[in-house]
Amino acid sequence: MSVRKTDERQGVEYPLEEMLRELMAVQDDMTWALHYIFPADPVAGAIPEEHAARLCREACLCGRGQAQEVKRRFGEAGLGEICHAEKIHVSWDLEDEAVGSVRFAEYIEPSQIRINRTCAERAERLLQELGEKQELGEVLEPGKEQELKKHRISDVLLAHEYYHCLEYRNPGLFTVAYRQKTGRAALFGPARLLALREIGAGAFAAELLGYSYHSSVYDVLLMYCVSPEKACKLYERMRGVLLG
């Protein structure tokens, strides 16, 4: 655990490069899935931890398996080419519609993905600036700076939403097909676990694009471009459940 220090550039408590370093060090899908993503599901509290672990593992395998299938089908094609071949309309006009809210990307059934170009480009510029000042290279493990800068933020966002499109087109996929019986099942039927979809999408994006850290690292980076203070709070929440 690094010593807490203020990032005087932004007037916030944690330098961005330190937050990225700590979060990128947690590379295990299951750690992120079981301790960070899954507990946010409204149904999670009713599921024993052992069963939750099995669900998280299956969701990770589902996401990575779908990414391998996409790579088998399309080879070295870029995400833009893949979406074009899949007849998915990608637009870059997603903007914040309410004060205090921010959306980085969204999938709209049946075949539309919208990306917040402004946020993605801000994040790209920020990484470039940190790289030029050598602030990333000073704190990240060898090779991690290049790995982080190698992948376009827009591709990470696009890959995540593309997985949700695959779920729509393949309703038998585990992450969208699984239903959990709860105490409310008599009234509403077994519940769909939205967390499984997010776990699968994160694993899919990492496998498809080939980065070793977890996709949620990008949430802190993107949020930092909108509000450094909110990014620090998000980091604290992640660190609290991942690192204790």
Side-chain angles (χ1 to χ4, degrees), residues 33-147:
L34 186 59
H35 298 294
Y36 175 65
I37 303 174
F38 191 82
D41 194 287
V43 182
I47 300 176
E49 184 172 353
E50 184 177 345
H51 183 46
R54 288 198 297 269
L55 296 178
C56 290
R57 187 174 297 108
E58 286 296 323
C60 290
L61 290 173
C62 181
R64 291 193 177 274
Q66 284 299 298
Q68 292 163 6
E69 174 63 17
V70 169
K71 288 192 286 187
R72 185 192 67 78
R73 290 175 57 205
F74 295 102
E76 298 298 319
L79 266 171
E81 296 174 277
I82 293 173
C83 287
H84 179 74
E86 294 274 62
K87 296 183 174 15
I88 300 170
H89 176 66
V90 180
S91 61
W92 306 88
D93 58 349
L94 180 62
E95 298 291 345
D96 306 332
E97 296 179 350
V99 176
S101 71
V102 59
R103 296 173 299 158
F104 302 128
E106 67 178 6
Y107 164 63
I108 302 173
E109 298 175 355
S111 57
Q112 182 180 2
I113 294 173
R114 299 176 69 201
I115 305 293
N116 189 322
R117 183 195 297 271
T118 301
C119 287
E121 290 181 346
R122 284 177 186 168
E124 295 283 1
R125 287 196 299 269
L126 182 55
L127 282 182
Q128 183 177 357
E129 291 169 5
L130 290 176
E132 290 172 353
K133 297 175 183 177
Q134 299 185 334
E135 290 168 339
L136 275 177
E138 289 177 357
V139 300
L140 296 183
E141 296 177 9
K144 290 299 182 184
E145 177 184 5
Q146 293 306 314
E147 185 179 0

Side-chain angles (χ1 to χ4, degrees), residues 177-191:
Y178 180 82
R179 300 291 190 277
Q180 176 69 37
K181 291 183 179 180
T182 68
R184 305 172 65 189
L187 290 176
F188 303 102

Side-chain angles (χ1 to χ4, degrees), residues 154-175:
S154 56
D155 279 350
V156 175
L157 296 172
L158 185 55
H160 187 105
E161 302 307 322
Y162 174 38
Y163 180 76
H164 292 318
C165 182
L166 291 177
E167 288 180 314
Y168 177 82
R169 294 180 175 186
N170 302 277
L173 289 180
F174 173 79
T175 51

